[in-house]
Amino acid sequence: MKKTISLLLALLLASLTFASCSDNPKESDNSSESSSDTPAESDVPDEISHFDQMPAENFGGWTYNIAGGHGTASEANGICEHITMEEYVGDDFNDKLYERMVNIQSKYNVKIQTHYFKYAEDPIITSVKAGSGDFFTGCVLFNRLSETIISGYAIDLATLNFDFNDPWWDKGAVDTLMINGKIFHGLGMIGFSAYESCSVLYYNGQLLENNQIKESPYDLWKEGKWTLDAMALMTESVASDRNNDNKFTPGDDVFGLLGRTLSHIPAVFSSGLSLTTWDEEEMLVKADFIDEDLMAVGNMLKKIWRDSEFNGEWDEDEANTLFKANKAFLLSRLLGDFRELRDKDDNYGIIVWPSLKENTEIKVAVRNPTTVIVTSDVTGEIKHRVETLLEAMNTYAYDYIFEDYIKLAVIAGSSRDAESAEVVRYSLDNKAYNTEQTFGLDSIVENWFNVIDTGLYASTNVRLQRTLPNRSKTFIKVYYGDEAEE
């Protein structure tokens, strides 16, 4: 199956070669002969094209305009911020985006156009206010969603004709962003920004071998033993003050963990925790900073990031350089950054952030992606068209593009690529989003970042408890309506 986590190296490479070489997977399946006892691969239920099963319709040449964010008026910012492509560009992933557009346009007699903006919410709000219908769908940066949702410019996606149990929808968005049965953003594989924005760690396998460390982060993860303690011990084992001057200097010494702290959110989600809780009885968002496990995560992060001479938040370019020179063991970045390092055969792997405790179902934090909304003025026939086209974009990506994304994200000539692909598949199936950003409560994250240094969990929690009810009541009303006033 496309989403099976445990993959053998041979099967992985075979599937990636198939995905990149066949423009029409269904035709390739049909060209293979099969015995009377064994169905052809195209007849296997898990391999049936979901897109091909959708009935064709005629939308009369209608133009479907999408407002793309995080870019400029003419282009997307980053290879995987693209939603549509206007022509073949010579790489498997973006060429499949072009084929998706062509196939959908043909199947539904429609023109799909993406217009890129720095902030996609601006043209969306203007369109809804004016009733012009310029845009019915947009990809808005996660931390800029508040006004769009509070002011009623985005429709509740649960009211559209989608089955969120289908595998092409974003399970992580449904699990973490659906409140009281309502969800206003986050729609699967229309764009790949949420995939690119997964918070992960890269590890340097050469340093494991140099230090004769038998179990890699991947091995520990598979055993359910990839914890913050294990990571701290591993970075300490690998780090080396080579010139014995009692300090760690770039170029001379080997560091443990470098890169981005990402507001210290990844270890919270990987430990199955959150910064706030929702009190259903009192209809209140409450700070959770005095939770024992959350404080334990904070203390471990302070030990790893702040109290260690051989770990630290560094300039990304310098951290990349040290990692590639075998002078840093772990690199904290986003998934989409990994291919920046892959300019030659290497010994690198990808791993999720570790959890506080063993055998935890790790969730992978998504860092401020662009996320899909549908405008609140879609009704009648337009609503049907938008539903159909979004479903078609997702099913086509699930059937024909997902494997090319895995290849783009991971495969570059490392013996660890198959393991990394498994970790990436797990990450994409177990994403978690920062609800505080959706609610416009960025100060929660800022307080979390600061409290790791100060250790003042109790007083910070008290201060937040005084302010959160008023600051979150507008959002509570969006999700609970008149019930929130009772």
Side-chain angles (χ1 to χ4, degrees):
M1 293 176 64
K2 286 188 175 71
K3 300 292 184 179
T4 302
I5 289 178
S6 297
L7 293 174
L8 296 174
L9 175 59
L11 289 176
L12 171 74
L13 295 178
S15 69
L16 291 173
T17 302
F18 176 82
S20 63
C21 294
S22 173
D23 289 340
N24 190 335
K26 202 170 181 184
E27 287 182 6
S28 296
D29 290 340
N30 290 338
S31 66
S32 301
E33 294 184 3
S34 59
S35 69
S36 57
D37 295 329
T38 305
E41 189 175 349
S42 59
D43 295 329
V44 178
D46 288 338
E47 295 300 327
I48 291 175
S49 166
H50 304 86
F51 172 75
D52 289 349
Q53 292 182 81
M54 293 183 66
E57 297 187 54
N58 187 350
F59 293 159
W62 180 64
T63 298
Y64 178 39
N65 290 316
I66 301 172
H70 198 204
T72 67
S74 60
E75 62 182 356
N77 181 15
I79 190 170
C80 289
E81 293 288 349
H82 290 290
I83 301 163
T84 56
M85 295 294 294
E86 297 300 319
E87 60 185 1
Y88 284 113
V89 294
D91 74 77
D92 292 336
F93 175 77
N94 280 303
D95 285 350
K96 288 292 176 65
L97 288 182
Y98 172 68
E99 290 171 3
R100 175 174 73 171
M101 184 184 73
V102 170
N103 278 282
I104 292 174
Q105 288 183 155
S106 174
K107 186 167 187 169
Y108 298 102
N109 188 18
V110 66
K111 173 69 174 175
I112 303 174
Q113 290 187 329
T114 306
H115 306 264
Y116 294 101
F117 303 87
K118 184 175 183 180
Y119 301 123
E121 70 274 15
D122 294 338
I124 287 171
I125 291 172
T126 300
S127 175
V128 175
K129 279 183 174 180
S132 61
D134 292 335
F135 298 100
F136 293 112
T137 303
C139 295
V140 180
L141 274 172
F142 205 89
N143 65 354
R144 299 184 63 87
L145 282 164
S146 300
E147 182 186 355
T148 311
I149 296 175
I150 290 174
S151 301
Y153 299 120
I155 197 171
D156 172 15
L157 301 175
T159 64
L160 302 179
N161 188 28
F162 299 139
D163 182 353
F164 290 128
N165 291 315
D166 287 331
W168 46 85
W169 300 113
D170 189 339
K171 180 178 181 295
V174 174
D175 288 347
T176 55
L177 300 176
M178 182 174 279
I179 300 170
N180 195 32
K182 297 180 180 180
I183 180 170
F184 290 90
H185 60 102
L187 278 178
M189 301 184 203
I190 294 165
F192 284 75
S193 176
Y195 289 9
E196 293 283 274
S197 303
C198 285
S199 304
V200 294
L201 296 166
Y202 317 150
Y203 66 94
N204 190 318
Q206 188 60 52
L207 291 178
L208 289 177
E209 295 171 12
N210 292 351
N211 289 274
Q212 298 182 333
I213 297 174
K214 301 300 183 185
E215 286 194 303
S216 69
Y218 170 83
D219 296 329
L220 293 175
W221 172 65
K222 291 292 287 183
E223 295 166 7
K225 297 178 180 179
W226 179 234
T227 64
L228 291 168
D229 271 320
M231 182 174 79
L233 288 171
M234 194 170 281
T235 57
E236 187 174 354
S237 299
V238 172
S240 174
D241 177 13
R242 293 285 181 85
N243 56 7
N244 297 312
D245 61 356
N246 296 317
K247 61 181 180 180
F248 279 79
T249 308
D252 296 329
D253 304 315
V254 177
F255 291 80
L257 165 66
L258 297 178
R260 302 174 63 182
T261 64
L262 301 169
S263 302
H264 297 308
I265 295 297
V268 176
F269 287 178
S270 66
S271 299
L273 304 171
S274 63
L275 301 181
T276 58
T277 54
W278 169 246
D279 190 317
E280 187 80 32
E281 256 185 51
E282 297 185 39
M283 289 279 181
L284 291 175
V285 176
K286 293 186 174 181
D288 212 17
F289 282 27
I290 53 175
D291 176 83
E292 288 187 5
D293 285 344
L294 189 62
M295 288 191 290
V297 168
N299 291 333
M300 280 301 304
L301 290 173
K302 183 176 186 296
K303 174 184 176 181
I304 292 167
W305 281 110
R306 299 289 185 246
D307 296 344
S308 168
E309 290 184 308
F310 46 80
N311 301 326
E313 184 173 19
W314 279 42
D315 171 80
E316 292 180 14
D317 290 338
E318 189 170 11
N320 284 356
T321 299
L322 290 172
F323 183 84
K324 292 177 70 172
N326 297 330
K327 298 289 185 171
F329 171 54
L330 289 173
L331 194 59
S332 172
R333 296 291 299 271
L334 302 182
L335 176 59
D337 299 323
F338 191 51
R339 55 183 165 271
E340 293 179 12
L341 305 172
R342 317 297 300 278
D343 53 3
K344 59 182 180 180
D345 289 354
D346 56 54
N347 195 354
Y348 306 154
I350 297 177
I351 194 64
V352 293
W353 267 84
S355 55
L356 176 66
K357 299 176 180 178
E358 292 185 356
N359 300 311
T360 297
E361 185 180 347
I362 288 174
K363 299 296 181 182
V364 178
V366 183
R367 173 79 171 185
N368 198 30
T370 54
T371 182
V372 176
I373 64 167
V374 175
T375 58
S376 55
D377 55 351
V378 294
T379 58
E381 174 62 19
I382 296 297
K383 179 182 177 184
H384 168 68
R385 292 177 182 181
V386 171
E387 289 171 337
T388 301
L389 294 173
L390 290 176
E391 184 92 7
M393 292 174 78
N394 272 283
T395 55
Y396 192 97
Y398 179 78
D399 290 336
Y400 300 132
I401 304 178
F402 182 76
E403 293 299 331
D404 288 286
Y405 177 77
I406 297 291
K407 180 180 178 182
L408 178 71
V410 175
I411 305 301
S414 169
S415 60
R416 301 179 189 274
D417 282 349
E419 295 175 354
S420 293
E422 182 181 346
V423 172
V424 168
R425 289 173 183 278
Y426 176 90
S427 301
L428 302 184
D429 280 342
N430 290 276
K431 299 192 298 295
Y433 294 82
N434 188 343
T435 323
E436 289 79 27
Q437 278 191 328
T438 301
F439 290 170
L441 302 176
D442 288 316
S443 63
I444 299 288
V445 178
E446 293 168 11
N447 275 277
W448 168 246
F449 183 84
N450 292 331
V451 81
I452 287 172
D453 282 332
T454 66
L456 301 174
Y457 292 94
S459 59
T460 301
N461 204 70
V462 169
R463 186 174 68 254
L464 289 171
Q465 295 292 60
R466 288 198 299 263
T467 59
L468 271 178
N470 280 334
R471 292 168 55 208
S472 58
K473 65 181 180 182
T474 308
F475 262 98
I476 293 171
K477 186 169 175 61
V478 169
Y479 287 94
Y480 284 86
D482 294 337
E483 188 181 346
E485 302 292 334
E486 297 175 4

